[in-house]
Amino acid sequence: MTQVPDIRLNNGITIPQLGFGVFQIKPAETVEAVTTALKAGYRHIDTAEMYQNEKEVGEAIAAFDVDPAEVFVTSKLSNSKHGFDDALAAFDGTYDAIGKEQLDLFLVHWPLPTVGDFVETWRAMERIYSEGRVRSIGVSNFTIAHLDRLAEETDIVPAINQIEAHPYLSQLDLLAYDTEHGIVTQAWSPIAQGAVLDDPEIVDIAGDHGKTPAQVVLRWHIQLGSVVFPKSVTPARIAENIDLFDFELSEGDMKRITALNRDERIGPDPETFDYLPD
Ligand code: NDP
């Protein structure tokens, strides 16, 4: 079975560099999708309170023939649960829904700088971590300015920054900042939900390696040092997306893919995004 490398976080724990994302997988389809991923060898699942499928992720892991401690599970704080007390209570909900003895990673899903104060929310994350309720804490969709504020006003450096990243939005300056500060970058929508897969450069490089465009793009992230968790409900693609560790992109291939950057988001801008679910 494919050997996925581990990456060490700034508190010493390790995370598999490749996982399985469950955004937009309906609750009723989540157990089947996660089970297919576990069978294919994935040992890292990325969910969130706002995806409404934390419980099904936990159910799939509990029912599978694996020690749950061997499956790295990430979840994220809902946008509607910022603030110190609300964040603490929201963590309890996530913890119960997933049902693992210890959650591996909990992230602030969005900074919401126009809505409230993410520094106060981060202090709740520090409390949850200090109490040993979660193995690591991090942020998602934080810019350099947001991370600078945390560095100035709080104690614990996030272990992770999960950001939108793919060949059309490489965010190499943010990746470099994260690395310099001991923060591991996770790339969400790593294949831009499919939008980069017809790119002629990527198709050409895939042909050179006898791999698919998705495998080439995921491999580019891996070689940049990022953590990825492509989503799919299609069993053949779930298998394809983990089959990345028997080839290597050359320096030239890496440069050709990096040169495709257009600073083009498919998701919202973290500076202005203010979505609050009911
Ligand atoms: P991805 O870039 O992973 O793309 C998923 C889409 O690509 C699906 O439509 C899937 O189709 C298709 N696909 C998957 N594999 C292949 C393949 N090998 N060939 C062709 N098409 C393929 O997008 P996501 O937005 O889902 O991002 C991945 C994960 O990142 C999420 O699931 C979530 O965990 C996380 N995320 C985090 C965010 C944040 O704010 N922190 C925001 C968005 C995502 P199908 O399922 O039909 O096979």
Side-chain angles (χ1 to χ4, degrees), residues 23 46 140-141 162 189 193 231-234 237 240-241:
F23 177 43
D46 185 89
S140 178
N141 300 300
Q162 181 176 130
S189 295
Q193 299 187 343
K231 169 265 176 186
S232 178
V233 291
T234 313
R237 289 174 173 173
E240 174 186 329
N241 293 346

Side-chain angles (χ1 to χ4, degrees), residues 253-271:
D253 297 330
M254 290 294 290
K255 282 193 180 138
R256 282 172 72 191
I257 300 172
T258 300
L260 298 174
N261 180 46
R262 308 168 177 171
D263 291 334
E264 190 175 279
R265 293 184 186 278
I266 56 164
D269 184 341
E271 287 293 359

Side-chain angles (χ1 to χ4, degrees), residues 1-271:
M1 195 168 271
T2 307
Q3 200 58 42
V4 175
D6 280 333
I7 293 211
R8 191 168 295 278
L9 305 183
N10 60 16
N11 67 350
I13 74 161
T14 57
I15 182 171
Q17 196 178 3
L18 179 108
F20 183 67
V22 298
F23 177 43
Q24 291 174 328
I25 303 185
K26 295 186 186 88
E29 292 168 13
T30 301
V31 171
E32 190 182 337
V34 172
T35 304
T36 305
L38 292 169
K39 278 188 192 150
Y42 291 77
R43 291 293 180 269
H44 164 188
I45 313 290
D46 185 89
T47 182
E49 205 271 347
M50 289 195 289
Y51 303 167
Q52 299 182 4
N53 55 19
E54 288 174 311
K55 187 164 79 64
E56 290 76 12
V57 166
E59 278 171 19
I61 294 169
F64 195 75
D65 184 20
V66 65
D67 177 356
E70 283 174 28
V71 185
F72 192 104
V73 180
T74 301
S75 195
K76 315 185 191 89
L77 179 73
S78 169
N79 285 0
S80 61
K81 304 288 171 55
H82 276 226
F84 193 83
D85 293 334
D86 282 357
L88 294 183
F91 176 80
D92 290 343
T94 284
Y95 180 82
D96 290 344
I98 292 175
K100 256 193 99 177
E101 200 171 313
Q102 205 184 19
L103 188 69
D104 298 282
L105 174 64
F106 194 48
L107 304 177
V108 178
H109 204 149
W110 286 90
L112 307 176
T114 62
V115 173
D117 181 14
F118 58 75
V119 170
E120 187 199 338
T121 301
W122 184 249
R123 293 213 173 92
M125 304 293 280
E126 292 181 323
R127 167 76 67 86
I128 294 162
Y129 177 70
S130 304
E131 289 176 345
R133 305 200 61 209
V134 65
R135 296 177 68 222
S136 56
I137 51 172
V139 294
S140 178
N141 300 300
F142 274 46
T143 64
I144 290 175
H146 302 147
L147 293 168
D148 276 343
R149 261 201 79 200
L150 287 189
E152 280 159 24
E153 299 178 41
T154 68
D155 298 324
I156 301 180
V157 177
I160 293 284
N161 187 18
Q162 181 176 130
I163 57 171
E164 181 184 342
H166 43 72
Y168 293 163
L169 180 76
S170 56
Q171 302 227 59
L172 290 190
D173 47 349
L174 185 46
L175 180 60
Y177 176 101
D178 287 348
T179 306
E180 193 188 323
H181 293 81
I183 302 168
V184 168
T185 302
Q186 296 184 328
W188 64 254
S189 295
I191 57 173
Q193 299 187 343
V196 295
L197 301 183
D198 299 332
D199 189 286
E201 287 285 315
I202 289 170
V203 171
D204 192 47
I205 295 168
D208 290 346
H209 289 276
K211 286 285 180 179
T212 66
Q215 288 171 323
V216 160
V217 172
L218 294 169
R219 182 73 208 182
W220 171 77
H221 288 288
I222 296 283
Q223 289 184 214
L224 286 176
S226 301
V227 173
V228 280
F229 23 79
K231 169 265 176 186
S232 178
V233 291
T234 313
R237 289 174 173 173
I238 293 173
E240 174 186 329
N241 293 346
I242 196 175
D243 182 18
L244 309 176
F245 301 100
D246 61 349
F247 79 111
E248 196 164 346
L249 298 172
S250 68
E251 216 173 292
D253 297 330
M254 290 294 290
K255 282 193 180 138
R256 282 172 72 191
I257 300 172
T258 300
L260 298 174
N261 180 46
R262 308 168 177 171
D263 291 334
E264 190 175 279
R265 293 184 186 278
I266 56 164
D269 184 341
E271 287 293 359

